[in-house]
Amino acid sequence: MADTPGRVASTWWWLTGLTLGALALRLTGLDRFLLWEDEAATWYFARLIVDRGPSAALTLEPTPPLYYGALGLWMQWFGDAPFVMRLPSALAGVLAVPMVFVLGRRLFDAKVAWVAACLIAIHPLHVFISREARVYPFLVLAVLVAIGCAWRAIEHDRIIDWAALSLTLILACYSHFYGMFLIMACGLLVVFASRGWPSRIRGVVAVGVAGLAFLPYVLFTLPHLRESGAAWSVEQFYRIFPAFEALPPVFELTLFGAGYHLLMRELAHPPTPEVLRLLALLAQAVAMVGAVVVARARGWLRPLAFVVVPWWILILVPWAITRAGRVIFQPGRHDVYVIGVVVLVLAVAIGAWWAGSWRGRTVAAVVMTVLVLGASHRLLATAVHPVNTSFVDTATWLTTHAEDDDVVVTTGVRRLITEYYVRQQASEVVVRSYPPSTDQHPGWSDPLTLVEDLPALEAEASQLVAELGALPDHATVWVVVRNYGDRRTSLPWQVDRPLFAALRDAGWWPLTLDDDASQNRIQGYRRSTEDG
């Protein structure tokens, strides 16, 4: 049935309503949770790039600077409160809803488009990444736009469409290194899906231009990749969560009702009930098999390939590289780019079933009900999850107790978060890292690595304490401590113990802090046995 002006207007009114609902879901309580480690790193690098240029952050974080630089300018204009920092991500996440709709309608039909748009609007992991100050929702959008540009370019074979594909890929690459895998996926699409050699050659040139445009940055940053903070972080992930090396958990993380891992903060707590999780996985398995059957029956195998190829390339290639020994892939972070194509695959079957017989509608209704239940549970669990205010409490305590000559010492990523919240209190207290070498990869102090070389750790503690010796006699060193549990076996205690020992050896003595707000979080040291 041809679209009449009235039908088109009705479609866009309904889509606008769905998009506004997705916006409300992402904006409600946007600043409810405190910044966490990755967001504190975002704040640090965004400021560093704007203040001192991209080269200043190169050895610390070689991730391409487009997102950090843009967010740094945004923060200069509007401030760096958590709501302000996260707002661009929320807006990018919302734009995925109409983009998925347009792509679903262009590749398949209106029912597929509606189902996919509804699914991404309530997808728990997509809502999660849209509510944090990181680049990931922009990459979800870039994958969808790249697929749309590739399809349009192959269908019409116009220079402007090939240029749009190149530009999209370049922007994706300069936002994150995983843009290279998107280039690979689009290269396969234009080689195997183009009609005729002239079109295929133009496609290869368009993709090649994007690769060549990014090559200088790759060569420039290659020497720093191994030592970067990102490398430390991903390697640490696999040491703490070895079970996530297997492929099934990797694929599960991007699905509805999944058992999201602990790094997903509030999204992982409490765990999804096992019955609901298994039902959701079964429903999605049925839908994915159904998508292939429907595509064969309706002649949709070619557009389905446009969705599946980027999904598998963006997951399997970095996963295989990681399994081969070069750790670059962190499940739950580096696979979120495929959320848009995952919902499209599910929607192919659900939308087609809904347009068929009553049996098909029944299956579609059951599958959608299970997915909505899984999504609702995760979103509700996030809404009622208790908020941890320890970093704000610590910063508030420090700004009311620390003097201008004092120094705050924190370990690893706590330096970035502590510094952020201290600045939010308009305080000029100096924050230092322990060990000092973590300034070369701020935010990524790995206790598992550091404790393996205790002599080096002790030397760094002595170096830091020697530098603190230049402080005035009346100055206090405030150490932000961690939860040590059983000190004899605790890795945090083994990492921090050399610092405490070096302070005592240099004549710094711990203060007795009676304020309950400081207990188990802050320890003061002064060059006196008196508490003063």
Side-chain angles (χ1 to χ4, degrees):
M1 180 183 295
D3 286 337
T4 64
R7 181 183 292 271
V8 171
S10 176
T11 295
W12 287 107
W13 275 113
W14 280 105
L15 182 59
T16 299
L18 178 62
T19 303
L20 290 176
L23 177 63
L25 185 60
R26 286 154 176 79
L27 290 184
T28 301
L30 188 61
D31 57 352
R32 177 170 177 261
F33 290 95
L34 304 182
L35 293 193
W36 71 303
E37 287 93 336
D38 286 11
E39 291 179 297
T42 294
W43 170 78
Y44 179 83
F45 293 123
R47 291 174 60 249
L48 190 63
I49 287 176
V50 170
D51 293 344
R52 295 168 51 191
S55 60
L58 176 63
T59 59
L60 304 178
E61 172 63 295
T63 296
L66 182 59
Y67 169 73
Y68 287 139
L71 186 65
L73 293 174
W74 173 270
M75 288 160 49
Q76 277 194 334
W77 297 331
F78 302 109
D80 59 359
F83 184 94
V84 174
M85 288 179 58
R86 291 166 176 164
L87 184 57
S89 294
L91 297 177
V94 169
L95 287 176
V97 175
M99 188 63 219
V100 160
F101 179 86
V102 170
L103 192 58
R105 190 161 186 172
R106 180 173 296 172
L107 269 62
F108 305 105
D109 64 17
K111 288 186 173 58
V112 171
W114 279 117
V115 172
C118 290
L119 288 177
I120 200 167
I122 63 170
H123 194 296
L125 184 54
H126 191 261
V127 173
F128 173 84
I129 65 172
S130 300
R131 293 164 61 91
E132 63 175 6
R134 298 294 286 170
V135 71
Y136 305 115
F138 294 92
L139 295 173
V140 173
L141 195 58
V143 170
L144 295 171
V145 173
I147 293 173
C149 288
W151 177 265
R152 187 176 180 86
I154 290 173
E155 290 296 295
H156 300 285
D157 196 19
R158 297 182 303 187
I159 296 299
I160 189 172
D161 295 321
W162 291 119
L165 175 61
S166 291
L167 179 60
T168 301
L169 294 176
I170 291 171
L171 292 176
C173 285
Y174 275 95
S175 298
H176 198 280
F177 274 111
Y178 267 52
M180 294 187 296
F181 299 119
L182 184 57
I183 286 180
M184 186 184 304
C186 289
L188 289 176
L189 292 177
V190 301
V191 167
F192 291 104
S194 296
R195 297 184 173 96
W197 278 104
S199 176
R200 187 171 290 116
I201 291 172
R202 280 188 282 272
V204 170
V205 169
V207 174
V209 165
L212 290 175
F214 189 54
L215 183 60
Y217 191 85
V218 173
L219 297 177
F220 192 52
T221 58
L222 202 58
H224 308 290
L225 292 179
R226 180 62 184 173
E227 291 78 22
S228 73
W232 276 52
S233 173
V234 178
E235 289 182 3
Q236 178 183 1
F237 170 87
Y238 282 104
R239 301 179 72 171
I240 299 176
F241 304 106
F244 281 93
E245 293 185 24
L247 199 55
V250 168
F251 274 103
E252 180 183 348
L253 287 175
T254 55
L255 302 180
F256 285 79
Y260 300 110
H261 64 67
L262 296 179
L263 289 187
M264 293 295 95
R265 298 179 295 136
E266 71 273 8
L267 194 63
H269 303 285
T272 304
E274 193 65 14
V275 173
L276 183 56
R277 171 178 165 267
L278 293 177
L279 284 175
L281 292 177
L282 177 61
Q284 289 166 102
V286 170
M288 289 175 186
V289 173
V292 177
V293 175
V294 168
R296 290 190 61 179
R298 297 199 173 190
W300 286 350
L301 286 177
R302 185 165 172 265
L304 184 64
F306 260 73
V307 174
V308 172
V309 168
W311 178 17
W312 286 18
I313 291 295
L314 287 168
I315 294 289
L316 292 179
V317 173
W319 176 82
I321 293 173
T322 296
R323 294 289 296 199
R326 179 64 179 93
V327 180
I328 63 170
F329 179 69
Q330 183 171 315
R333 306 304 289 170
H334 297 144
D335 49 2
V336 297
Y337 315 161
V338 303
I339 292 174
V341 294
V342 168
V343 299
L344 279 168
V345 173
L346 297 173
V348 167
I350 298 171
W353 288 336
W354 190 257
S357 65
W358 67 269
R359 293 184 180 87
R361 291 194 175 196
T362 301
V363 174
V366 170
V367 171
M368 279 295 290
T369 299
V370 172
L371 298 187
V372 170
L373 286 175
S376 300
H377 175 270
R378 296 287 1 118
L379 296 174
L380 180 61
T382 300
V384 301
H385 186 68
V387 178
N388 181 2
T389 63
S390 60
F391 285 115
V392 172
D393 295 341
T394 297
T396 302
W397 194 93
L398 286 170
T399 54
T400 57
H401 289 74
E403 304 293 337
D404 290 342
D405 291 330
D406 295 350
V407 169
V408 176
V409 177
T410 64
T411 303
V413 73
R414 285 177 168 254
R415 171 240 167 140
L416 300 183
I417 298 180
T418 303
E419 184 175 349
Y420 171 80
Y421 281 109
V422 164
R423 295 292 175 265
Q424 291 291 300
Q425 302 280 349
S427 172
E428 296 299 324
V429 174
V430 175
V431 182
R432 294 288 307 274
S433 296
Y434 167 74
S437 64
T438 56
D439 279 333
Q440 302 306 314
H441 33 79
W444 307 117
S445 170
D446 179 359
L448 294 175
T449 299
L450 296 170
V451 80
E452 291 174 355
D453 192 354
L454 282 177
L457 197 56
E458 292 168 352
E460 290 209 44
S462 299
Q463 171 195 337
L464 175 60
V465 171
E467 295 172 3
L468 296 176
L471 293 176
D473 289 340
H474 64 272
T476 302
V477 174
W478 303 100
V479 181
V480 179
V481 300
R482 296 175 288 174
N483 180 14
Y484 297 128
D486 185 346
R487 291 189 174 186
R488 292 171 298 177
T489 60
S490 167
L491 282 175
W493 170 249
Q494 294 182 54
V495 171
D496 288 355
R497 183 174 56 181
L499 174 63
F500 301 142
L503 285 166
R504 296 290 288 268
D505 291 344
W508 294 85
W509 294 90
L511 303 178
T512 301
L513 303 176
D514 297 327
D515 192 336
D516 290 339
S518 68
Q519 296 304 307
N520 300 318
R521 286 202 302 272
I522 303 170
Q523 178 61 61
Y525 284 83
R526 191 174 294 164
R527 287 193 192 89
S528 172
T529 56
E530 301 177 3
D531 288 350

